[in-house]
Amino acid sequence: MMPDLEKIRDEIDSIDGQIQKLFERRMNLTGEVAEYKIATGKPVFDQDRENKKLECISESASSDFNAKGICEILRQTMSISRIRQYQMLAEHEDDLFSGYIQLEHLPVQEAQVIYQGLEGAYASEAAKKFFGKCVNTAHVGTWEEAIQIVSKKQADYAVLPIENSTAGIVQDIYDLILEYPVYIVGEQILPIEHELLGLPGADISDVRTVFSHPQALAQCKEYLKEHPDWEQRKLLNTAVAARKVADDKDIRQAAIASHSAGELFGLQRLEEKRLSTEKNSTRFIIISNQKYIVKNAEKISICFELPHKSGSLYHALSNLIYNDLNMTKIESRPIRDRNFEYRFFLDFEGNLSEPEVKNALIGIQNEADELYILGNY
């Protein structure tokens, strides 16, 4: 005899309705628990209690399949309950957002801006595009020097490359910005148009060695595959590479750098076709020693470390989902001296003044071992 499908579906609908009512009842009780924890200062997340509860439910299930299923449902329900408690906790929590300065615009009048490399480097172009051509700039040899100078308040801002659309992230920057008291206050996307530069009168057939920054070499790897006999030499900056070719006066040397670097050091373009993809661009971040937030800031960068346990990243990110926040980027970096443990760098859309952002960050803070707000810009 065939089952009555409509009757079965009606019963399932009835069960689903009961689940909805029980869920809403549970959320109401969750609110009462949150009020108790806020009043007593008890933490929202009690891992031991949740584990014992899941273990007990698993042992009483009628089959292994059902045990796994009900544990997953309860795990999700408890996660949602925590998010509700975090939302209530956020109404009483302000320490996470203290010290931020709300501004209409960044103070740039007579500001000192630092970048790594030389005049003609892409960072120099990014600085001029963000601050204006009359900005007072200075250059240093390394990214860490630039960050150190800003952290010591010897300069107002630094311009640092953080990722490229072709070659990916600039890993050192992610690690360095955690080591110093600096904050991201802006960003600049710069189209990158690399040129193969050589001495006046040189020809592409003369080239034996190409100098550039490792990122630029990576961005031009498809072009460089066409010249397997060329030696690739890494330098600190594309403009440094252009200056070396100019100083060495060796027609066998070429540099991959910007058009402005070629003009600055008196070099000529040796290759007519593009060296990298048509949509090659680099994202630069602007860092300050002040916690500035401009009025129209719409992106937040954070870093957090999580317990080395299954599901910890999912539960942290669920705070964005339940607050309707859009994550635009996530990267992981290994934590020094902790084998195979990682910290996560995450960008999402929002402003620290928005309640949903505050809710999400309080939730992530409670799920994480450490949370750092890198900037709102």
Side-chain angles (χ1 to χ4, degrees), residues 152-191:
K152 294 177 181 178
K153 300 185 179 181
Q154 295 170 352
D156 300 292
Y157 303 100
V159 179
L160 305 167
I162 193 84
E163 65 175 317
N164 176 264
S165 59
T166 302
I169 67 168
V170 184
Q171 297 179 353
D172 291 348
I173 300 298
Y174 279 97
D175 297 331
L176 285 169
I177 57 179
L178 283 182
E179 293 185 21
Y180 298 91
V182 294
Y183 310 93
I184 304 173
V185 296
E187 69 175 356
Q188 180 66 56
I189 309 296
L190 186 73

Side-chain angles (χ1 to χ4, degrees), residues 217-233:
L217 293 172
Q219 292 160 29
C220 300
K221 65 180 181 179
E222 295 302 319
Y223 172 77
L224 292 171
K225 284 180 182 178
E226 300 174 13
H227 302 278
D229 56 321
W230 290 358
E231 180 185 2
Q232 299 176 33
R233 299 281 296 277

